[in-house]
Amino acid sequence: MPQQIHLFTASDPDSPATSPECVRTMERLAEEVLPAKAASGNYPVRFDHCFKRIAYDMAVGAKWDAEVARPFYEHASREQVRRAVDVLRKMARDPARAAEYNRRSLRYRTAGA
C-alpha cells in the first residue's frame, strides 16, 4: 500500500506553501508520473511543464502566472498548492479529467489575451 503523504501541518491556509514534501509530491506527479502515463497516448499533453500549467491554472482559477509570482510553489497559498496537487492526482487517475482540465486551462489563457 502506498504511503500517505501529509502535505501540511500549519493551520494557516494562506501562508506560502514551502513544504519540501509537498513540492516533491508536485514534482513527482508532474515530472515523472504523468509524463509516463501520457506515453500511452491517452492524455491531451505529454510534457511536465504542460501538466504543471494545467494544475496551477486549475488551482488558481485563472492563468496562474497572472495571479501568482514565479515560482508557483514558493508564492502560492497553501490552499492553492493543495488544489494543484489534487488536480495532478486526479489527472493521474483519469485521462478524461486531464483533457477537461486542459480545455479549461486553455480558456483561462485565451480569456486573458
Side-chain angles (χ1 to χ4, degrees), residues 67-112:
E67 304 291 327
V68 177
R70 292 175 183 261
F72 180 84
Y73 65 88
E74 285 185 9
H75 300 282
S77 71
R78 288 181 185 266
E79 184 57 34
Q80 289 169 326
V81 173
R82 279 186 216 151
R83 285 194 302 258
V85 170
D86 186 50
V87 166
L88 290 164
R89 286 182 174 143
K90 287 177 180 177
M91 289 193 294
R93 286 193 298 268
D94 184 4
R97 179 72 60 96
E100 172 193 337
Y101 287 157
N102 185 50
R103 284 189 298 273
R104 287 172 58 186
S105 172
L106 293 173
R107 279 196 301 268
Y108 290 148
R109 290 170 173 278
T110 56

Side-chain angles (χ1 to χ4, degrees), residues 1 5-6 15 17 21-22 25 37 40-41 43-44 57 60 67 74 77 82 90:
M1 173 179 274
I5 297 174
H6 300 284
S15 64
E21 187 175 348
C22 184
T25 299
K37 287 179 166 279
S40 70
Y43 281 79
D57 283 358
V60 172
E67 304 291 327
E74 285 185 9
S77 71
R82 279 186 216 151
K90 287 177 180 177

Side-chain angles (χ1 to χ4, degrees), residues 1-63:
M1 173 179 274
Q3 180 183 9
Q4 291 246 336
I5 297 174
H6 300 284
L7 298 178
F8 303 102
T9 56
S11 61
D12 181 3
D14 294 320
S15 64
T18 58
S19 164
E21 187 175 348
C22 184
V23 172
R24 282 192 302 274
T25 299
M26 283 197 311
E27 288 175 346
R28 184 177 57 78
L29 288 166
E31 296 174 9
E32 298 171 24
V33 173
L34 283 159
K37 287 179 166 279
S40 70
N42 292 330
Y43 281 79
V45 296
R46 59 184 194 161
F47 298 112
D48 62 342
H49 63 273
C50 298
F51 289 112
K52 289 177 182 178
R53 171 200 34 98
I54 295 167
Y56 299 169
D57 283 358
M58 297 307 302
V60 172
K63 183 176 184 272

